Amino acid sequence: MSQHPADSHDTIRVRQARENNLRGVDVDIPKRRITAFTGVSGSGKSSLVFGTIAAESQRLINETYTTFIQSFMPSMPRPDVEVLENLSTAIVVDQERMGANSRSTVGTATDAYSLLRVLYSRYSTPSAGGAGAYSFNLGQGACPVCEGFGTEASIDLDELLDWDKTLNEGAIKAPNFAPGAWLWQTLTAGTQPDLDVKLRDMPKAMLDRMLYEEAGKVKLNGANMSYSGLITRIKSNYIHSGREIKQAHIREWIERISTTAPCSACDGSRLGPAARESKINSLGIADMTAMQVSELLDALDQIQIQDASPLITNLKAVLESMVDLGLGYLSLDRPAGTLSGGEAQRVKMIRHLGSALSDVTYVFDEPTVGLHPHDIQRMNRLLAGLRDKGNTVLVVEHKPEVIGIADHVIDLGPGAGTHGGTICYSGAVDGLLASDTLTGKHFTTRAALNTTPRKATGAMDVRGASLHNLKNLSVDIPTGVMCAITGVAGSGKSTLIHSTIAKREDVAVVDQTAIRGSRRSNPATYTGIMDPIRAAFAKANGVKPALFSANSAGACPACSGVGYTYTDLASMAGVALPCEQCGGKRYTAEVLEYTLDGLNIAEVLDLSMEEALEQLKVPKAKAMLERLNQVGLGYLKLGQRLNTLSGGERQRIKLAINLGQGAGTYVLDEPTTGLHIADVQNLLRLLDEMVDEGNTVIVIEHHLAVVAHSDWVIDLGPGAGHEGGSIVFEGTPADLAASGTLTGEHLAAYVRG
């Protein structure tokens, strides 16, 4: 029987793809299969998968809308590719953090809360009304005090005060409040505290007066001066003033002491009184959303209401999907903005697992980020399930465990940036192993157990840690060594370190959180490289340095130096398009006529870190460029927008900045994110160098190569959420492999190969 013509379109054909650093890539990608894209960071994986295939699919879908709707949408440019055929609808499930809306929670993001609202509107007693009466996004259901946000601004007193000192000894840690300083004098003269008693022993009434006294007048040195309590002053002058804080040290201090506390009216539930009083089986809707998902499933099993059975079944299906994705430790009231990139990606997956759609192209960006080796097998089963429903699954991934289950592998490289952008291998996994590519060579590489760990020089003690799911933990974290903090996702690793060690003044936290900056910000401005470059341009051309700032006189007037025009689509992701006047170069034509080492300022910003180190003769920028290359970011361009960087790239930029600060303690949160197998070895060498220079390195990590290489390991668990929060192992990697813990079992299997 001859093949039907419709069955001949079983591959996505890509011809001459040149997006970003792609060098005229030709490749055929099988449909209704799992295809893994791998290669070193910056090799062109994302340019091919996201910037070419997914982007064109979404552009073509936008063109199906009516002319009226399209008039409200930006005109998306076609990717730089000659031929792109046989595309299907692309659904991108990436690691972009959720929670641009501060009201968004895990429950609202997964639609589980919508089902709960319907359940309570129909079957609770006393009923508050329809489903809207249980929504904290609507006036009828939201707490009238916090307006549905569930929190109110507060100040961390432990960051503000040293309880074991007197005021004369410097108990106030706020800038400009040193003993004898003018602000200190007005505060103490107005509120009259005892200057020689430790704050811990100060009477409550006296302490409250010093902290919360309303504004008043006091005579000081013959002059009438205004005064107020310490916290009253801080809130009025900084937190509630609405003014931008220009001094960097003040801004950093305010960020450090500012915190939020649950709303005193609704106790953080976000709901009004009527919604809080509604009960099913003596449980309010806030009680249910506060449970971790695994416990909520048990609570739903106890509801014996015949008419509610279909609704509960649908709700349980969503919650069971969360458990299958390793998210059973989350609660539905968890703010979406607090999720890690990996958690956010898995929450986004929930909507698609039960979807009736097929012949869809699902695009995943490292879906195993933040997953313990124990949970990676679950993820593999889910990817296989999406494929078996008739969907095409494209996965950008580095982990051998995921690459190994792919039906097809495309390896890009051979290097990063200008050294990448070509197809090194395309075919089955077995062929990759036999190939001579970097991925093929390192696919079966395993880090050896550290059998000669370094000796600790001391210890940082943690006592009584009980935040979130931590069970009153006490542990000594060794100094002068590399210490790995591991355990399943949700076991309490990040909570333990970030709530204790990371708050100490001599500790540098190198995480993957977004980098603060404007739309003009780039690696050159963030790391300080741009300042000596501007000065060098000015000296070489006899003009002012401000001309070469995208924030100043030399900026393109059409885009204000941003290089693109941004369209906010409200409910959808915004779209950035190159500025038509400057072509994305950010500067006026006059500024672009000035050169340094034969390059204008736009051409300099288009250099990679590696190229800049070779071509630019700017001595003051050399040290930072060397550190950026050292942390594996040589492929990044100086002028790349900060908001386009991955979490791993942001983390390595922060690491490069901190490397120049001298000996100290570094906390790294999953530094292997986004790293190729071969690059993990480079990272381990860098961490060794940091320890050998006298630093303490604390790594929160799942990657077994890092765990095996560490000097000391602290393993949390045994499970996630309420089942975690305990220390199940402390010791060397060799002892962990023989311990029989969940991490130990996987580590033993890893080193055996």
Side-chain angles (χ1 to χ4, degrees):
M1 186 177 178
S2 62
Q3 185 186 41
H4 193 284
D7 296 329
S8 63
H9 304 281
D10 56 356
T11 61
I12 300 172
R13 293 183 70 244
V14 182
R15 295 293 182 267
Q16 292 299 296
R18 294 180 293 270
E19 196 68 20
N20 296 328
N21 68 329
L22 297 178
R23 300 184 186 180
V25 164
D26 296 340
V27 67
D28 292 334
I29 303 167
K31 298 178 73 172
R32 294 173 291 281
R33 298 291 187 271
I34 298 174
T35 299
F37 295 79
T38 187
V40 298
S41 299
S43 60
K45 305 183 297 297
S46 295
S47 296
L48 177 58
V49 178
F50 295 96
T52 303
I53 297 171
E56 178 65 356
S57 172
Q58 293 176 337
R59 186 187 72 86
L60 293 173
I61 289 174
N62 288 353
E63 290 186 350
T64 65
Y65 298 137
T66 65
T67 304
F68 175 75
I69 293 175
Q70 289 188 51
S71 67
F72 294 95
M73 303 176 68
S75 178
M76 299 177 68
R78 187 178 187 274
D80 191 359
V81 58
E82 295 287 334
V83 177
L84 197 51
E85 296 178 342
N86 304 331
L87 293 177
S88 58
T89 302
I91 297 176
V92 176
V93 188
D94 58 18
Q95 295 180 42
E96 193 69 30
R97 289 183 180 256
M98 304 171 67
N101 184 341
S102 57
R103 298 178 186 271
S104 180
T105 65
V106 170
T108 60
T110 59
D111 285 338
Y113 191 64
S114 298
L115 294 171
L116 265 181
R117 289 195 291 115
V118 174
L119 181 69
Y120 270 79
S121 68
R122 294 178 180 176
Y123 305 108
S124 67
T125 53
S127 177
Y134 298 90
S135 172
F136 45 76
N137 288 314
L138 300 175
Q140 62 193 79
C143 169
V145 176
C146 66
E147 298 180 338
F149 289 99
T151 59
E152 53 191 17
S154 183
I155 289 176
D156 187 345
L157 291 181
D158 292 335
E159 287 289 337
L160 179 64
L161 305 170
D162 189 334
W163 296 99
D164 294 316
K165 288 183 178 180
T166 69
L167 290 170
N168 275 329
E169 292 171 341
I172 300 175
K173 295 190 282 186
N176 305 321
F177 276 88
W182 190 252
L183 289 177
W184 184 90
Q185 290 186 51
T186 58
L187 171 69
T188 55
T191 61
Q192 295 292 312
D194 191 328
L195 305 182
D196 296 310
V197 65
K198 292 181 179 180
L199 295 192
R200 185 178 307 282
D201 302 324
M202 186 174 286
K204 185 177 184 303
M206 183 184 292
L207 181 65
D208 287 348
R209 190 172 66 246
M210 185 192 77
L211 295 177
Y212 305 109
E213 184 82 356
E214 294 297 323
K217 295 287 186 178
V218 65
K219 188 172 285 289
L220 183 64
N221 298 332
N224 287 323
M225 304 298 300
S226 298
Y227 78 93
S228 58
L230 179 61
I231 289 179
T232 305
R233 174 183 285 273
I234 292 171
K235 286 184 175 181
S236 64
N237 287 5
Y238 300 114
I239 297 176
H240 298 156
S241 69
R243 298 189 302 270
E244 182 183 359
I245 304 172
K246 295 183 178 181
Q247 301 99 324
H249 72 288
I250 299 288
R251 189 167 58 247
E252 291 172 2
W253 172 71
I254 290 294
E255 289 176 359
R256 190 165 68 250
I257 68 168
S258 298
T259 183
T260 55
C263 171
S264 54
C266 67
D267 198 27
S269 70
R270 304 172 180 241
L271 296 168
R276 297 199 304 271
E277 291 168 4
S278 296
K279 308 286 184 181
I280 296 178
N281 286 359
S282 303
L283 294 173
I285 191 170
D287 298 322
M288 287 203 175
T289 57
M291 295 178 180
Q292 68 178 42
V293 167
S294 56
E295 294 176 342
L296 179 55
L297 280 166
D298 294 333
L300 292 173
D301 285 336
Q302 303 304 312
I303 299 176
Q304 303 297 320
I305 303 174
Q306 189 65 36
D307 293 345
S309 181
L311 186 58
I312 292 174
T313 299
N314 290 336
L315 177 56
K316 287 176 65 177
V318 176
L319 301 178
E320 286 167 353
S321 296
M322 293 182 66
V323 173
D324 288 340
L325 283 169
L327 297 174
Y329 61 91
L330 294 180
S331 59
L332 296 186
D333 64 356
R334 171 86 172 263
T338 66
L339 300 176
S340 68
E343 287 171 333
Q345 186 175 35
R346 296 198 292 282
V347 166
K348 294 173 190 175
M349 289 180 66
I350 303 298
R351 292 176 177 266
H352 307 297
L353 294 178
S355 174
L357 295 173
S358 66
D359 266 326
V360 172
T361 298
Y362 288 100
V363 184
F364 294 96
D365 185 12
E366 293 194 69
T368 59
V369 166
L371 283 183
H372 188 271
H374 172 70
D375 296 318
I376 291 178
Q377 298 306 317
R378 286 181 176 177
M379 180 61 68
N380 285 346
R381 288 195 295 271
L382 292 168
L383 295 176
L386 286 173
R387 173 201 60 194
D388 295 345
K389 285 179 62 177
N391 299 301
T392 303
V393 180
L394 309 182
V395 187
V396 177
E397 188 55 83
H398 294 291
K399 288 201 172 65
E401 297 93 329
V402 178
I403 299 171
I405 66 138
D407 304 295
H408 193 81
V409 181
I410 296 174
D411 188 19
L412 284 92
T418 56
H419 304 298
T422 61
I423 302 292
C424 299
Y425 174 81
S426 178
V429 176
D430 291 343
L432 176 67
L433 298 179
S435 70
D436 196 38
T437 68
L438 190 64
T439 304
K441 291 177 180 176
H442 287 84
F443 195 84
T444 57
T445 301
R446 298 289 186 269
L449 283 174
N450 186 354
T451 56
T452 56
R454 304 175 184 89
K455 300 295 183 182
T457 57
M460 291 180 284
D461 63 304
V462 175
R463 297 291 179 266
S466 56
L467 186 66
H468 299 324
N469 67 331
L470 298 180
K471 296 182 172 64
N472 198 31
L473 291 189
S474 294
V475 63
D476 291 327
I477 298 176
T479 58
V481 299
M482 176 179 164
C483 178
I485 313 296
T486 189
V488 299
S491 59
K493 306 182 298 297
S494 296
T495 301
L496 172 64
I497 299 302
H498 288 293
S499 67
T500 56
I501 301 298
K503 289 189 172 184
R504 303 186 183 187
E505 293 183 359
D506 57 342
V507 174
V509 178
V510 186
D511 58 17
Q512 299 179 32
T513 55
I515 294 173
R516 291 180 179 270
S518 69
R519 289 177 179 168
R520 301 180 187 86
S521 299
N522 51 55
T525 57
Y526 184 71
T527 59
I529 294 173
M530 201 62 195
D531 291 333
I533 289 176
R534 281 196 291 261
F537 262 99
K539 185 178 180 181
N541 295 279
V543 294
K544 295 181 179 179
L547 270 181
F548 306 97
S549 170
N551 295 309
S552 193
C556 167
C559 63
S560 301
V562 178
Y564 63 92
T565 55
Y566 183 81
T567 303
D568 189 354
L569 298 179
S571 60
M572 296 186 294
V575 175
L577 298 174
C579 172
E580 293 183 359
Q581 183 166 323
C582 67
K585 294 181 179 179
R586 310 179 190 182
Y587 296 90
T588 63
E590 177 193 357
V591 173
L592 296 176
E593 291 178 1
Y594 299 116
T595 62
L596 176 69
D597 298 329
L599 303 171
N600 64 35
I601 187 66
E603 290 168 335
V604 166
L605 290 173
D606 199 46
L607 294 174
S608 68
M609 302 296 174
E610 184 181 20
E611 292 168 337
L613 190 59
E614 294 176 356
Q615 298 182 35
L616 293 182
K617 307 296 188 294
V618 185
K620 291 184 178 179
K622 186 178 178 181
M624 180 54 70
L625 287 170
E626 286 177 341
R627 289 200 293 272
L628 287 164
N629 277 272
Q630 186 184 8
V631 299
L633 293 178
Y635 63 90
L636 275 189
K637 292 185 176 181
L638 270 69
Q640 185 170 335
R641 301 202 311 268
L642 285 183
N643 60 0
T644 66
L645 301 180
S646 68
E649 288 169 337
R650 291 194 295 266
Q651 185 176 39
R652 293 197 289 281
I653 283 181
K654 295 175 184 177
L655 178 58
I657 293 172
N658 281 287
L659 282 176
Q661 306 299 318
T665 299
Y666 295 89
V667 174
L668 283 74
D669 198 345
E670 296 196 61
T672 62
T673 299
L675 283 185
H676 186 266
I677 313 167
D679 291 331
V680 173
Q681 301 300 319
N682 297 330
L683 173 68
L684 293 177
R685 284 194 289 272
L686 175 61
L687 297 181
D688 279 340
E689 290 174 8
M690 292 170 64
V691 175
D692 292 340
E693 290 172 0
N695 299 298
T696 298
V697 176
I698 302 170
V699 188
I700 304 168
E701 188 57 84
H702 293 290
H703 202 297
L704 293 173
V706 177
V707 177
H709 192 80
S710 302
D711 301 302
W712 194 257
V713 183
I714 298 173
D715 189 19
L716 276 80
H722 298 328
E723 298 172 0
S726 300
I727 293 183
V728 296
F729 174 83
E730 295 178 75
T732 65
D735 291 337
L736 175 62
S739 68
T741 68
L742 189 60
T743 306
E745 290 175 357
H746 283 277
L747 180 61
Y750 169 83
V751 295
R752 288 196 303 267

